[in-house]
Amino acid sequence: MDDGLVRSISTGLSQKGVRDHNERLLLSLLQRHQALTAPDLARLSNLSAPTIFAILRKLESDGLLMRGKPVRGKVGKPSVPMMLAAGGVYAIGIKIGRRSADFLLMDFTGGIRLHRQLTYPHPLPREVFNFVQAGLAAAAAELPSSDLAKICGIGIAAPFDLWNWHDLTGPPAAEFQSWKDVDFRRELARFTDLPVSVINDATAACQAEHLYGRGKQFRDYAYFFVGAFVGGGIVLNNSVYEGRQGNAGALGSLRSIGPDGESRQLVDRASINTLETQLRDAGHNPITLWQDSGSWKDLADFVEPWLDQTARELAKASLSTCAVIDFEAIVIDGAFPIAIRDRLVEKIRQAILLEDTRGLILPVVESGSIGNNARALGAACSPVLAQFLLNSH
């Protein structure tokens, strides 16, 4: 590996990349609405027209904004909408999951410029960090040299307590346990100087959905991501709420009841891992679920009862979250094909109707739209949010 090549993308943005409040406000409005004229921005931000024009000129000169096509047909001069410049900022997102790792290079509008994936039975630190280093080299080769300094940072999405979820024995088990002592920032500092942020993987998925998916339609909602292990996130006042220790929305830890009446967690009852176990017991290789989307249809005899159970569990979990905060919506996404997600959502809607909902205001249940890339995309959002956008929390 050419260490010089990897470090060539390590300078990051200068301090001028950290915008002040009003700049962040306008960038956030443009991110949410895609394109707005100066009068629209003034109306939405309550800032004066001269202030708006001054900020827009500055952001455009910094390369963060671009002009859209003039809007004609009204009295006076045509209005010129402004929008985020895709090539104005880049960020790297890394997802470390229990069955796969993803590396992607994201532009300022959420477009994916580079995507690499590694699948495995279990993630081991040495293998994952070699994958990340190779991804950084690929990103350096993907962008023109003039754009390398526009990479504002790296976000890493990983489950909390990753080392607690495994069924390995022998030497691999000891290496897996080493995740407990891994410092992601220190490990990446071996081959890059870019700033590194770490976020819970399900919270990252929620962030991606909120910025680039269905989340724009709702102010307050709970989000479930069904991966190898189910997790979630919550959005309050149009921002993802991470909580005091970054673990808000740990919906996979909600209480459930096992088949024998024992106390369990949602993660034990509504995760793809449950389906994997059933497939393994029946002599099938569950890795096909991650490598071949068509296998979900081929394994319908196992998938269908898993969908029924997962829907019942998520219906109860959805109502439990709404007993604490009256969310207007529940958004469901996961690491499975779109058709599976849509069927799961419909089954959840039906299951909610069979539950005791006294004292609750029922939320709408909607499909997410990002899918399997949500966690890596949300990870890439972390440095962008930190430097350019508003967070109401």
Side-chain angles (χ1 to χ4, degrees):
M1 183 66 60
D2 184 351
D3 187 61
L5 177 63
V6 173
R7 287 202 179 272
S8 69
I9 65 171
S10 299
T11 55
L13 294 178
S14 66
Q15 282 301 307
K16 74 175 183 179
V18 181
R19 323 309 298 188
D20 68 21
H21 178 273
N22 287 343
E23 291 176 348
R24 287 171 178 262
L25 174 59
L26 297 195
L27 289 171
S28 297
L29 287 170
L30 290 169
Q31 191 283 321
R32 193 165 185 82
H33 296 277
Q34 295 187 331
L36 292 169
T37 62
D40 290 332
L41 286 166
R43 175 176 53 82
L44 292 170
S45 66
N46 291 320
L47 296 175
S48 67
T51 299
I52 293 290
F53 282 112
I55 295 174
L56 291 179
R57 281 195 299 269
K58 182 177 185 300
L59 294 176
E60 186 179 14
S61 69
D62 288 344
L64 299 178
L65 298 184
M66 60 181 291
R67 299 179 181 225
K69 294 182 179 180
V71 179
R72 306 181 186 278
K74 297 182 179 180
V75 177
K77 294 182 179 180
S79 299
V80 179
M82 301 298 291
M83 60 189 70
L84 300 183
V89 177
Y90 297 95
I92 290 168
I94 299 165
K95 181 268 290 184
I96 302 173
R98 297 177 176 92
R99 295 293 180 264
S100 65
D102 289 87
F103 179 104
L104 60 81
L105 176 67
M106 181 189 80
D107 65 32
F108 203 18
T109 61
I112 297 175
R113 298 298 184 92
L114 172 72
H115 180 219
R116 297 163 66 94
Q117 186 177 67
L118 172 71
T119 58
Y120 38 62
H122 298 87
L124 298 176
R126 179 176 44 190
E127 183 181 13
V128 168
F129 288 119
N130 286 341
F131 168 72
V132 171
Q133 187 173 7
L136 287 168
E142 176 71 19
L143 291 177
S145 58
S146 58
D147 282 353
L148 294 181
K150 297 179 181 179
I151 299 177
C152 67
I154 299 173
I156 298 178
F160 284 166
D161 293 349
L162 173 63
W163 57 91
N164 277 338
W165 308 92
H166 74 93
D167 51 7
L168 290 173
T169 58
E175 185 176 0
F176 190 90
Q177 282 293 310
S178 68
W179 279 114
K180 185 174 183 178
D181 300 316
V182 165
D183 182 324
F184 288 107
R185 294 176 179 85
R186 185 177 63 223
E187 289 294 330
L188 266 64
R190 293 189 294 107
F191 42 81
T192 179
D193 296 324
L194 283 170
V196 176
S197 57
V198 182
I199 185 173
N200 175 264
D201 59 340
T203 302
C206 183
Q207 189 68 263
E209 190 67 48
H210 189 61
L211 288 177
Y212 303 116
R214 300 288 304 280
K216 293 182 179 182
Q217 301 173 24
F218 309 110
R219 177 186 175 91
D220 305 297
Y221 60 93
Y223 171 89
F224 290 89
F225 189 90
V226 184
F229 292 88
V230 68
I234 56 176
V235 173
L236 299 172
N237 193 28
N238 285 321
S239 290
V240 175
Y241 182 69
E242 295 186 41
R244 181 172 59 89
Q245 299 184 80
N247 200 35
L251 304 182
S253 297
L254 287 170
R255 296 294 96 185
S256 182
I257 299 175
D260 298 320
E262 72 277 18
S263 176
R264 304 297 295 270
Q265 291 188 351
L266 181 66
V267 71
D268 301 314
R269 303 285 294 158
S271 297
I272 295 177
N273 180 64
T274 305
L275 176 58
E276 288 183 309
T277 299
Q278 294 167 353
L279 291 173
R280 193 178 296 109
D281 291 345
H284 296 279
N285 186 355
I287 199 68
T288 59
L289 294 173
W290 309 100
Q291 296 178 341
D292 178 15
S293 60
S295 66
W296 288 78
K297 183 177 181 180
D298 297 336
L299 297 168
D301 289 345
F302 298 91
V303 171
E304 202 61 32
W306 174 80
L307 278 173
D308 290 336
Q309 174 180 304
T310 301
R312 289 192 298 269
E313 294 292 338
L314 289 176
K316 290 184 286 188
S318 297
L319 295 177
S320 294
T321 62
C322 290
V324 180
I325 297 175
D326 58 341
F327 291 114
E328 61 183 305
I330 302 294
V331 178
I332 307 292
D333 205 352
F336 35 45
I338 293 175
I340 297 295
R341 179 185 66 203
D342 291 345
R343 286 171 57 207
L344 176 60
V345 168
E346 185 55 40
K347 286 177 179 289
I348 293 170
R349 291 170 178 160
Q350 295 170 4
I352 284 179
L353 298 178
L354 301 177
E355 293 291 329
D356 185 345
T357 59
R358 289 174 295 174
L360 297 175
I361 300 173
L362 295 187
V364 296
V365 180
E366 299 290 344
S367 296
S369 62
I370 306 297
N372 203 28
N373 284 335
R375 292 161 291 182
L377 191 66
C381 293
S382 291
V384 174
L385 280 164
Q387 298 181 44
F388 298 98
L389 303 179
L390 278 184
N391 185 330
S392 65
H393 303 300

